[in-house]
Amino acid sequence: MNTRNRSIRLRLGAAALAAFGFAATMTATAAGFGCDHCEGQYYACRSAGGEYETCVNDFWNCQTSNGCMISLPPDF
């Protein structure tokens, strides 16, 4: 039996498993934010003196990029 092919397959399998684990970790980290941090960014924009429309557009962009439903900010 050719052990060289088995060694290469094991290395490729280990590399694939490592890549999958890394991707799963990154996905879990990104999903951890949820949609709540968009409100914090909106309030920070408003308290810094940002215009309402600019802050709302940033709020909607944040929701869209995180896969959240677009809604109006709570103080509307």
Side-chain angles (χ1 to χ4, degrees):
M1 189 178 272
N2 191 351
T3 58
R4 181 180 164 122
N5 286 340
R6 185 181 303 166
S7 177
I8 291 172
R9 286 182 187 156
L10 288 174
R11 287 181 190 166
L12 286 175
L17 187 60
F20 177 76
F22 178 74
T25 302
M26 294 305 291
T27 302
T29 303
F33 282 116
C35 300
D36 298 335
H37 76 282
C38 296
E39 286 182 23
Q41 291 176 352
Y42 168 76
Y43 289 129
C45 178
R46 292 294 291 158
S47 65
E51 293 182 7
Y52 175 76
E53 290 156 1
T54 303
C55 295
V56 168
N57 284 335
D58 291 342
F59 179 68
W60 288 337
N61 288 336
C62 178
Q63 287 179 327
T64 303
S65 65
N66 288 300
C68 308
M69 281 184 45
I70 295 177
S71 63
L72 290 172
D75 67 342
F76 182 72

